[in-house]
Each structure stands twice: as structure tokens, then as C-alpha cells.
Amino acid sequence: MDRFLARLIDGILLTIVSFVIGIVLAAILIGSGGEANYAVTAVGAILGLLISFGYYVFFETTSGQTLGKMAMKLKVVGPAGAPVTVEQSLKRNFFYVFGLLALVPLPGLSFVGSLVQLGIYVFIAVTISKDTQLRQGFHDKLANETYVMKLG
């Protein structure tokens, strides 16, 4: 439950930041004239991905804790407690790339991307709950055996 709450806190923070940046970008792109719906969607999807990856990679590789993990007293570490590498962090958070499905100009594909992300979240939660030793999710094992530990 702590990991879920940490991810929820991080998700809320990222949503707020992405929303504010998206509004500013939309105003700039729409203010430049012409049809900007696709441009706004494309820039928003790419920025959302970069913000999410940047956030997780920065915090996981520098301190092992995102703001959500700090609040829940959790820390992500590599094998044998080593710091998480950039490669491991990118692998742990790979599922954010499905947000780029919003770039494909087909109706409903953005929704499909959101469903895929949700499915991955559920799969990760199930794999965490099934692992009785380190409580590693699929994404932890994919990232060369990272795991989340409780502090204090």
C-alpha cells in the first residue's frame, strides 16, 4: 500500500506540473495562429513523457527516493542495496512510453494507450503482491533486480 500511495503522490505532482506546462504551451501554440490541436497533443505527450522520465530518473538515481517515496519513507535501490543507475530507472518506468500513442492520429488511440498503462500498473501491483521475499514488481525485475525498501 505504501508503494501505491508513493506512486499516487508522484502521479498527482506530475499531473499538476504537466497540466500547467501544457496550458502555457497550448496558449503559445494556439496564439501563433492556425490549427494547433495536433501540435498541442503531440507536444503535450512528448513533454509528459520527458517530465515523467526526468522526474523518476533524477530522483531514483540521486537519492533513490521520489517525493512520494520520501513521504512514504521508501527508497528504491539496485542489487545488494547499490544506487539505481539511469538504465535501471528508465527500465523501471518504461510504461510511460505508452502515452506517446496519443501522437498517432487515429481516434481513440490515446485512450488505448491509457488502458495499456493501467493494465501495466495492475500487472506490476499483482507481481509485487506475489513476490513474498523482496516484493519486487515486474518492472523491478526488468530493471536488473531493483527493489523498494522501507526506511525507519
Side-chain angles (χ1 to χ4, degrees), residues 127-136 141 145 147-148:
T127 56
I128 288 170
S129 69
K130 297 258 186 220
D131 187 326
T132 56
Q133 187 178 10
L134 292 176
R135 305 204 36 90
Q136 289 176 301
K141 291 179 181 177
E145 301 298 325
Y147 61 97
V148 176

Side-chain angles (χ1 to χ4, degrees), residues 75-84 145-147 149:
K75 183 176 182 178
V76 62
V77 294
V84 174
E145 301 298 325
T146 61
Y147 61 97
M149 58 188 280

Side-chain angles (χ1 to χ4, degrees):
M1 185 61 141
D2 288 345
R3 288 177 74 169
F4 170 77
L5 291 174
R7 197 57 90 149
L8 181 64
I9 291 166
D10 292 332
I12 290 169
L13 293 171
L14 287 168
T15 298
I16 292 168
V17 169
S18 295
F19 181 74
V20 169
I21 291 172
I23 288 175
V24 170
L25 272 170
I28 291 169
L29 291 172
I30 292 170
S32 66
E35 183 63 40
N37 286 338
Y38 181 76
V40 170
T41 301
V43 170
I46 292 168
L47 266 179
L49 176 67
L50 293 175
I51 290 168
S52 295
F53 272 146
Y55 175 82
Y56 286 105
V57 169
F58 174 77
F59 281 109
E60 288 179 356
T61 60
T62 57
S63 67
Q65 295 180 286
T66 60
L67 298 175
K69 284 185 181 65
M70 287 178 201
M72 301 309 299
K73 298 182 181 358
L74 299 172
K75 183 176 182 178
V76 62
V77 294
V84 174
T85 66
V86 170
E87 179 183 352
Q88 288 170 323
S89 183
L90 288 171
K91 286 180 180 180
R92 285 187 90 248
N93 298 289
F94 77 94
F95 49 89
Y96 285 105
V97 299
F98 290 103
L100 292 180
L101 288 175
L103 296 177
V104 180
L106 294 173
L109 205 50
S110 179
F111 178 70
V112 170
S114 296
L115 284 179
V116 169
Q117 282 181 316
L118 178 61
I120 291 171
Y121 275 125
V122 170
F123 182 67
I124 288 170
V126 168
T127 56
I128 288 170
S129 69
K130 297 258 186 220
D131 187 326
T132 56
Q133 187 178 10
L134 292 176
R135 305 204 36 90
Q136 289 176 301
F138 165 76
H139 65 312
D140 289 313
K141 291 179 181 177
L142 178 71
N144 304 326
E145 301 298 325
T146 61
Y147 61 97
V148 176
M149 58 188 280
K150 184 77 171 169
L151 302 174

